[in-house]
Amino acid sequence: MSQSTQLANETKSSAHEGNSDVAGNEFLAFTLGNEEYGIDILKVQEIRGYEAVTRIANAPEFLKGVINLRGIIVPVVDMRIKFNLGSPTYDQFTVVIILNIEGRIVGMVVDSVSDVTTLLPSQVRPAPEMGTTFSTDFLIGLGTLEDRMLILVDIDKLMSSPEMGLVDQLA
C-alpha cells in the first residue's frame, strides 16, 4: 500500500510539474497479464491499493462494483476481465487506478503499476490491426522503449464507449 501511495504522489507531482522543454507525453505504465499498457498520466487522479467493492446486481461481469471514494460513488472496472485475460487474481500488487474521464470518476483494476514514462512522438508507432478482443479503436499506438513496448490505450474513448456504458450511466 505504501508503494502505491508513493507512486501516486510521484505521479501527481510529475503530472503537475510540466516541463515545457520536453516535447513528449507522459504515460502511466501498468500491467495486465504479461503485457504492459500505458495511459495518459493527465487522466489519472490517484492510485489506490485494491479493496473489496460493492457488487451491483445485473452489472456486466467486468464491472466489479462500486467503491465509496471520499463520498463519491465510483464504478470499478476490472480490465483483466474486460480484455478476457483469464481469471483475475488480487494480491498486494493489484491496484485501482482512479481516472477522471470527461469529469466523471472511474476506477480501473490492473495487476500492477510500474512507472511514469515520457514518450517522444518518434517513440509512438501506429497500432497494427489485431484480431484480438481489444479493439484498435481504443489504441493510441505502441510506445517503443529500449527493451519494452507499451500498448498505449486511449482511456477516454475506452471508458466512454457504448459497450462500457460508464459515462452514460453516470451522467
Side-chain angles (χ1 to χ4, degrees), residues 76-116:
V76 176
V77 174
D78 190 312
M79 300 307 280
R80 188 179 263 265
I81 295 171
K82 176 65 184 143
F83 297 156
N84 290 322
L85 296 173
S87 297
T89 55
Y90 305 105
D91 58 24
Q92 73 271 21
F93 300 109
T94 306
V95 296
V96 178
I97 301 172
I98 304 295
L99 304 166
N100 188 332
I101 306 294
E102 299 177 17
R104 306 287 183 212
I105 307 302
V106 178
M108 144 174 134
V109 179
V110 299
D111 292 343
S112 65
V113 293
S114 52
D115 58 3
V116 176

Side-chain angles (χ1 to χ4, degrees), residues 149-161:
M149 188 169 291
L150 289 181
I151 300 167
L152 304 177
V153 179
D154 186 335
I155 201 66
D156 277 323
K157 267 190 188 174
L158 177 63
M159 290 297 180
S160 60
S161 69

Side-chain angles (χ1 to χ4, degrees), residues 47-170:
I47 299 167
R48 302 172 55 88
Y50 182 77
E51 58 191 62
V53 298
T54 304
R55 283 289 293 159
I56 298 176
N58 299 321
E61 187 182 354
F62 63 82
L63 183 61
K64 290 299 290 181
V66 295
I67 58 172
N68 184 338
L69 182 66
R70 295 182 291 280
I72 299 170
I73 302 303
V74 178
V76 176
V77 174
D78 190 312
M79 300 307 280
R80 188 179 263 265
I81 295 171
K82 176 65 184 143
F83 297 156
N84 290 322
L85 296 173
S87 297
T89 55
Y90 305 105
D91 58 24
Q92 73 271 21
F93 300 109
T94 306
V95 296
V96 178
I97 301 172
I98 304 295
L99 304 166
N100 188 332
I101 306 294
E102 299 177 17
R104 306 287 183 212
I105 307 302
V106 178
M108 144 174 134
V109 179
V110 299
D111 292 343
S112 65
V113 293
S114 52
D115 58 3
V116 176
T117 303
T118 300
L119 292 174
L120 300 173
S122 63
Q123 292 174 292
V124 178
R125 303 279 182 255
E129 286 296 323
M130 297 178 279
T132 65
T133 56
F134 189 73
S135 170
T136 54
D137 295 345
F138 305 126
L139 295 183
I140 296 168
L142 298 174
T144 55
L145 301 158
E146 293 169 13
D147 58 345
R148 294 165 58 194
M149 188 169 291
L150 289 181
I151 300 167
L152 304 177
V153 179
D154 186 335
I155 201 66
D156 277 323
K157 267 190 188 174
L158 177 63
M159 290 297 180
S160 60
S161 69
E163 70 182 49
M164 293 291 263
L166 292 173
V167 172
D168 292 337
Q169 281 180 351
L170 297 174

